[in-house]
């Protein structure tokens, strides 16, 4: 069956089409004005251009997603409340997922008791896989690492306010030392997760990981603050091919949804 996966971010959306053994991709601009009508218009044009009928459609977004509904998204407010019923398409199967929860589907391995995917870009999020299966908690929203609170000398802030790319840009953080410090805050947050969840693997992704200073600060704080016993069992890796990570995970989710 033909498959379309859509990774919608705060500034761009990646459309990936799987067509009889070949893959095609294209990007569009999004932003705060991108809404449900915008999404439906692009899907309508795609279906017309490719002649899609009875296909599988996976959509991933940043924000709180519960039971195939986007509860809220700070970077895409026009899509808040999106459900499968809002998507006017010819798709036979539709799933809506948090982008990080989709991403971990592409890299998790059933042989590992616990894996974490941490993304740091315009926001900060975490996804958890147990023996290759997504763990979402009691109500489907586990992993909101970026909303954990941190007390600093300047007051109390969320981890996202201290360490994500949007926050750093807003505060004019670009010096080496400041990026290192921002990464250190994220490393502290990941250390909490190591101590709580005792993972085998930690995957690091997102645009902020492209900064060597940020990455070094993250790893340094993680090593310093995680307990020795759980930390000794962890392998930390950066995600390769980050651009297609979410779309690859969505494709896996659609396959699982059909079985």
């Amino acid at each position: 069956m033909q498959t379309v996966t859509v990774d919608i971010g705060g500034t761009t959306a990646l459309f990936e089409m799987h067509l009889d053994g070949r893959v095609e991709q294209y990007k569009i601009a999004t932003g705060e004005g991108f809404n449900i009508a915008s999404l439906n218009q692009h899907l309508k044009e795609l279906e017309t251009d490719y002649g899609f009928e009875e296909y599988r459609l996976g959509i991933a977004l940043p924000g709180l997603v519960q039971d195939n509904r986007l509860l809220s998204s700070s970077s895409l407010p026009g899509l808040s409340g999106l459900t499968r019923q809002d998507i006017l398409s010819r798709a036979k199967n539709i799933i809506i997922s948090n982008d990080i929860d989709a991403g971990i589907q592409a890299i998790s391995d059933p042989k590992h008791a616990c894996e974490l995917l941490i993304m740091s870009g315009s926001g900060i999020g975490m996804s958890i896989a147990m023996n290759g299966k997504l763990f979402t908690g009691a109500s489907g929203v586990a992993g909101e690492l970026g909303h954990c609170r941190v007390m600093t000398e300047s007051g109390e802030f969320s981890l996202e306010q201290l360490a994500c790319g949007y926050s750093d840009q807003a505060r004019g953080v670009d010096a080496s030392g400041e990026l290192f410090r921002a990464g250190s805050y994220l490393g502290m947050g990941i250390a909490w997760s190591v101590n709580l969840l005792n993972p085998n693997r930690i995957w690091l992704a997102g645009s902020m990981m492209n900064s060597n200073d940020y990455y070094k600060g993250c790893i340094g704080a993680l090593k310093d603050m995680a307990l020795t016993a759980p930390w000794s069992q962890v392998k930390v890796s950066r995600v390769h091919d980050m651009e297609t990570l979410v779309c690859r995970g969505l494709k896996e989710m659609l396959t699982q949804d059909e079985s």
Side-chain angles (χ1 to χ4, degrees), residues 40-150:
N40 280 324
Q41 181 60 37
H42 282 287
L43 289 173
K44 180 180 178 180
E45 293 171 0
L46 182 146
E47 290 171 348
T48 300
D49 291 344
Y50 286 87
F52 285 138
E53 298 280 352
E54 298 288 305
Y55 66 101
R56 302 183 302 181
L57 174 63
I59 297 173
L61 314 104
L64 286 174
V65 177
Q66 183 183 56
D67 296 329
N68 287 287
R69 180 180 181 181
L70 178 63
L71 300 180
S72 64
S73 174
S74 58
S75 56
L76 293 166
L79 291 178
S80 291
L82 177 72
T83 68
R84 288 188 285 202
Q85 289 70 38
D86 295 316
I87 298 172
L88 307 179
S89 79
R90 304 171 193 163
K92 180 181 179 181
N93 299 81
I94 301 173
I95 60 171
I96 299 172
S97 172
N98 169 268
D99 53 359
I100 308 174
D101 285 347
I104 202 169
Q105 300 287 326
I107 53 178
S108 61
D109 190 323
K111 72 181 181 183
H112 293 309
C114 180
E115 293 176 88
L116 309 178
L117 169 62
I118 290 96
M119 280 194 184
S120 179
S122 57
I124 289 173
M126 180 176 72
S127 188
I128 306 162
M130 302 286 191
N131 296 114
K133 294 184 178 181
L134 183 65
F135 174 79
T136 58
S139 59
V141 294
E144 288 299 317
L145 181 65
H147 292 282
C148 294
R149 308 296 293 183
V150 180

Side-chain angles (χ1 to χ4, degrees), residues 81-236:
L82 177 72
T83 68
R84 288 188 285 202
Q85 289 70 38
D86 295 316
I87 298 172
L88 307 179
S89 79
R90 304 171 193 163
K92 180 181 179 181
N93 299 81
I94 301 173
I95 60 171
I96 299 172
S97 172
N98 169 268
D99 53 359
I100 308 174
D101 285 347
I104 202 169
Q105 300 287 326
I107 53 178
S108 61
D109 190 323
K111 72 181 181 183
H112 293 309
C114 180
E115 293 176 88
L116 309 178
L117 169 62
I118 290 96
M119 280 194 184
S120 179
S122 57
I124 289 173
M126 180 176 72
S127 188
I128 306 162
M130 302 286 191
N131 296 114
K133 294 184 178 181
L134 183 65
F135 174 79
T136 58
S139 59
V141 294
E144 288 299 317
L145 181 65
H147 292 282
C148 294
R149 308 296 293 183
V150 180
M151 182 61 72
T152 75
E153 63 273 16
S154 301
E156 183 180 333
F157 301 92
S158 71
L159 188 60
E160 198 163 82
Q161 288 175 310
L162 295 169
C164 80
Y166 178 81
S167 173
D168 288 349
Q169 184 179 20
R171 291 183 289 124
V173 172
D174 57 6
S176 173
E178 288 298 310
L179 285 168
F180 184 92
R181 181 179 175 131
S184 297
Y185 281 120
L186 178 62
M188 176 180 65
I190 300 173
W192 303 335
S193 302
V194 169
N195 296 342
L196 288 168
L197 297 170
N198 190 20
N200 304 89
R201 296 291 301 266
I202 296 175
W203 299 92
L204 301 177
S207 58
M208 292 303 293
M209 291 300 166
N210 293 327
S211 164
N212 285 333
D213 293 314
Y214 185 92
Y215 179 77
K216 288 177 182 177
C218 176
I219 296 299
L222 177 51
K223 288 179 178 178
D224 288 344
M225 297 185 185
L227 291 172
T228 302
W231 174 245
S232 66
Q233 303 301 312
V234 180
K235 181 177 180 180
V236 180

